[in-house]
Structure formats: C-alpha cells, structure tokens
Amino acid sequence: MRQGLSAKVSPMPIAASLLRSRVFDGLTDAERACWLDRGTTATFARGQTVARQGEPARSFYVLESGFLKLLQLTAEGTELIMRFVVPGEPFGGVVALSDAPYPVTAVAVQPSVVRTWSRETVADLLGVTPQVRVNIMREMASHMTHLLTRVRELTTARVDERLAHTLLRLARQCGRPTPDGVLITQRLTRQEFADLTGTTLYTVSRTLTKWESMGLIETRKRLLLLRSLEKLERVGGAEDE
Amino acid sequence: MRQGLSAKVSPMPIAASLLRSRVFDGLTDAERACWLDRGTTATFARGQTVARQGEPARSFYVLESGFLKLLQLTAEGTELIMRFVVPGEPFGGVVALSDAPYPVTAVAVQPSVVRTWSRETVADLLGVTPQVRVNIMREMASHMTHLLTRVRELTTARVDERLAHTLLRLARQCGRPTPDGVLITQRLTRQEFADLTGTTLYTVSRTLTKWESMGLIETRKRLLLLRSLEKLERVGGAEDE
DNA sequence: CGTGGGTTTGAGTCGGATCAAATCTCGTGG
DNA sequence: CCACGAGATTTGATCCGACTCAAACCCACG
C-alpha cells in the first residue's frame, strides 16, 4: 500500500547531514551515535511518498540526502506545498510527540534517503536525551511562525509579492551563491512554484518572464538564478516597468 | 492565597477554567496547585494588549476568564486574526519553550483575567512536571494542523466556504447549543469576521445577509445563531439561487 | 433626541483564474 | 547521434469573484 516501504533498508551509512542536524543540538557524540544506531534508513525514488496525510503517525524522520516536499491535498486534488525538506531537517516530529495523524503528505522530489525512528523508539530515546524534544519544539515553533506569516501574506499580499518571498525563502533554504547571484539548486516546475505560492502556473510564468526581462532573475539550464535579492524584496509595492 | 483543591466556595470561581485546562492534563492535584501558586494573575480591559508581536517572549499564559484574540498586523496596519483564546486555553507557549519573539499580538476582546508565568518559572516547573511540556506540544500540534488547513483554504477555497468554516470553528470554540441551533456567545463585528476569514467586512455582510435569507443563520441581539451546522458545512460547492 | 459605531447596499473596477493553443525542452529509444 | 514525443512553458483572450469606494441606514447609548 505504501509504495515507499518497498524501498531498501540498510543499516550502515553515516550521514554527515544527520550529524550536524539541529535536532541533535546539545547532544554528546555518544548520544548522537545512539540515535543514529536506533534509526533505520530507507530510500525513495523521485515521486514516491514517504508519509501520507491523514495516516496515523508511526514515525519520526530526518532527511539524510535528497529533497522532499510536504504538501496538503484538497478534495479536488489540487496540491499545496507547505514546505520543502532539505538534508538534516526533521519532519513528522509534530506528531511523533503528540498523537495525531500526519497533517501533511511527504513526497520525494529528488531521490532521497530518510532516517526513520518508530514512535516507540522515539519515546524511548527521548527518555534518555530529553534535549531532543526541546530541539523538535524549536523546529515546530519556527514552522509555526512561518505558517503564521504565510497566512497573513495569503490574505493581504498580491501574488507578485508572495512569489518573491517564495523565491527568497528557497534561496535561503537551498540556494548557492554564485558571482552573478544566488542559484536555487533545485529544478522546480512552474506548477511547483505555483503550489508553493498559492497561485496558478500561468501567473507564475508571466511573472517570472516579466522579472527576467527586468533583469531580476535568470533561468540557467532549468535552474533559477536570483540576480538581486534586494530588488526582489522590494517587489510588491513598487510595480512599474 | 491559593489553597488546596478541597473545595471552598468563593464568589469568583477560583480559576475553575485553569483547573480543567488541558495544559495540566495528567498532573496530580498537588502538581496543579503548585503551578497555580507560582503564577500571577493580571486583568485586562477590552481592547488592551496582553502581549505584543515581535517582543521577546517573557511569559507563558493561560486565560482564566474573558476572551482574547491573537492577531498579526501587516505593514499597512490591516489586522488578521489568527485565532481566539477562550478560558482554559494557554498561549505564548510556543515561545516559552523555544526562544523567539512572540509571533502574534494578544488583545482582550472582553475584559479578561490571565494567569502568567515567567520564562524562568516555567523552566523551573517543567523540571518537576515535564508532562506539561508534552501537553503544550499537543496544543501546538493542534494549532499547527489548523494553520495548515487554513493555508490550504486560503489558496483554494472561495470566501463563502472559508466564512462558513470560520463560523463552524467558532461554534466549536465558543458556541452554546439552543433549541434552534448553536449560538455563538461572542459579539463579533463584521470586521472581526472578515479579519478572521481573510476578506472584507462588505463581503462578510453580503454573505451573512444571503445566508440569513436562506434560513441558515439568524442574528439575535447582535449574536449569531447557526440554525444548521450541516448546511453550513455544505456551503461552497453548492451555491445556488 | 442626536451622535457615532456598526451595517447594509449599490456601482464600478481589477487581479488573477480559466481555457485554448502554440512553442519549447529534454530525456529516450531507435 | 538524431529524431521523436511527452511534459513543461509561454502567450493570448476572456471572465468572474471579490475588493474598493460611496452613501444611506440602523441602533444602542448617553
């Protein structure tokens, strides 16, 4: 049923992204090792589902490598991307600690390796290293804040402004600096930008084209290059050309 | 001043809302009493601000009596209501446990009494009763889920549908059953409904008027009476007349 | 009574969704 | 290595929901 679980499971790899993950802040090396030991890894191909919205939460995850999107599906099937997950980031924590169904679906955008802990294992390990609970809460608090500003933007800001913020957020999360600006290191479709911003792919296309002609951004081999973060930040109020 | 739980009648119910608050689930009576002891109460008149968005978080709160709204302000001054707080509900918990500025402003809609714990006191008490941390996380998880569905609704649903959901949520939070339907026990202005739904007071007015003429709702002395929750739930897809 | 906050209602406008179609890209297999 | 086809993107034309502005109205209150 869950396609993802057919993925292969291996015990050995030591992922650097896990070691420096902020969920393990404040732990000793031994404690970190203990967490890693007790988790299993699973790999997912592009498009596979790691966890499904509405299912009872069975596991806590940290992404080792790859790239995931967390999304909500509407009744009509439109998908809305809540956020992306980059290596080192946890997900499913919300519910490994309270008990509720997963609030979102996690899908691999790139081939991904995920470290997994069962509910019981987490409960067990938290007994030994309660600091992790605090770290997870910190993550939650930060997502909460993001969601709040997103709700605010959705009701007050124009599409242009929201798209600009989406790009800036992506730049922060998976951008690489280059001489000409910040390159977003993921190939995202117009549709995905739209799902992320809460608009349609057509509007995204038009807007990006406009910005490209204004020299704000540039598309290089399917990747987006932001030439000026400052100017992007100012989009919204000052729409002229 | 604060005494054991062995019942003592007083004109002001002594924090009954606090005793049954879900933040204190799983605690013994003694532990609850301990929390209550260490908190101080403060009262706020209608319109006063309890905590301000952006300020460093100094306290954790539980509402004893009254009614609060948590809102975000935009640069232009538009306010957007994130949620209401009814007696027994905590707020500011997000940040008493991580450390970030308050993500929202809390304003008293009705004269309110608030129990307050300082950051340090909370840290102290959590050492003794760690269960409270879990309870707070459960609250956070539930708000998170609400925010997620709200974000989804804002991008996909029509105003009618969103307003209907707003009313249903209010009914759940502060509704009282009557023979004719559920009465929302707070006098909210059209503007507040709008701030809550992410629309304008004009659209709210038109929509409510329409629903009233359809017999879905009714205004009684400034309060809103929902005559049929079921029909309200079906609004959105089925707009006809 | 007046006065002011809240509400209703009307008319006009526009951002952005929708639908349709042409064009581009790139991975794939021949 | 090239040509093909599926998916992605661009662009145009049209339409509608909901915001905006303006004005009248309704009440609760002193």
Side-chain angles (χ1 to χ4, degrees), chain A residues 42-48 50 63-68 85 87 107-114 186:
Chain A
T43 69
F44 296 87
R46 177 194 300 255
Q48 278 191 306
V50 180
L63 183 62
E64 274 191 41
S65 65
F67 197 63
L68 305 179
V85 180
V107 174
V109 176
Q110 298 297 330
S112 300
V113 179
V114 168
Q186 287 292 330

Side-chain angles (χ1 to χ4, degrees), chain A residues 72 80 82 148 152 155, chain B residues 72 80 82 137 148 152 155:
Chain A
Q72 283 226 332
L80 186 96
M82 301 317 288
L148 287 167
R152 174 164 47 75
T155 61
Chain B
Q72 285 226 332
L80 186 96
M82 302 318 285
M137 289 201 60
L148 287 167
R152 173 163 48 76
T155 62

Side-chain angles (χ1 to χ4, degrees), chain A residues 62-105:
Chain A
V62 175
L63 183 62
E64 274 191 41
S65 65
F67 197 63
L68 305 179
K69 57 182 175 186
L70 303 188
L71 44 89
Q72 283 226 332
L73 293 170
T74 66
E76 302 84 39
T78 344
E79 72 179 44
L80 186 96
I81 302 180
M82 301 317 288
R83 64 180 174 102
F84 287 117
V85 180
V86 298
E89 290 186 344
F91 61 102
V94 186
V95 1
L97 300 173
S98 81
D99 62 344
Y102 289 117
V104 291
T105 294

Side-chain angles (χ1 to χ4, degrees), chain A residues 135-150:
Chain A
N135 293 341
I136 292 175
M137 289 201 61
R138 197 187 42 212
E139 291 296 307
M140 276 181 60
S142 127
H143 293 143
M144 190 81 104
T145 305
H146 275 131
L147 278 180
L148 287 167
T149 69
R150 188 152 170 202

Side-chain angles (χ1 to χ4, degrees), chain B residues 24 35 38-39 59-60 62 115-119 121-122 125:
Chain B
F24 298 133
W35 272 85
R38 301 280 303 273
S59 310
F60 170 65
V62 175
R115 180 78 53 146
T116 306
W117 292 265
S118 76
R119 234 179 127 55
T121 308
V122 170
L125 286 166

Side-chain angles (χ1 to χ4, degrees), chain B residues 30-92:
Chain B
E31 287 167 338
R32 270 170 229 254
C34 177
W35 272 85
L36 295 197
D37 269 354
R38 301 280 303 273
T40 59
T41 60
T43 69
F44 295 87
R46 177 193 298 256
Q48 277 191 306
T49 298
V50 180
R52 204 171 305 254
Q53 168 180 4
E55 281 181 358
R58 274 187 293 272
S59 310
F60 170 65
Y61 307 94
V62 175
L63 183 61
E64 271 191 44
S65 66
F67 197 63
L68 306 179
K69 57 182 176 186
L70 303 188
L71 45 89
Q72 285 226 332
L73 293 170
T74 67
E76 303 83 39
T78 345
E79 72 180 42
L80 186 96
I81 301 180
M82 302 318 285
R83 64 179 173 103
F84 287 116
V85 180
V86 299
E89 290 186 346
F91 62 102

Side-chain angles (χ1 to χ4, degrees), chain B residues 158-160 187 198-200 202-203 206:
Chain B
R158 302 267 92 95
V159 166
D160 294 70
R187 288 145 75 118
T199 178
T200 63
Y202 309 104
T203 302
R206 284 180 230 273

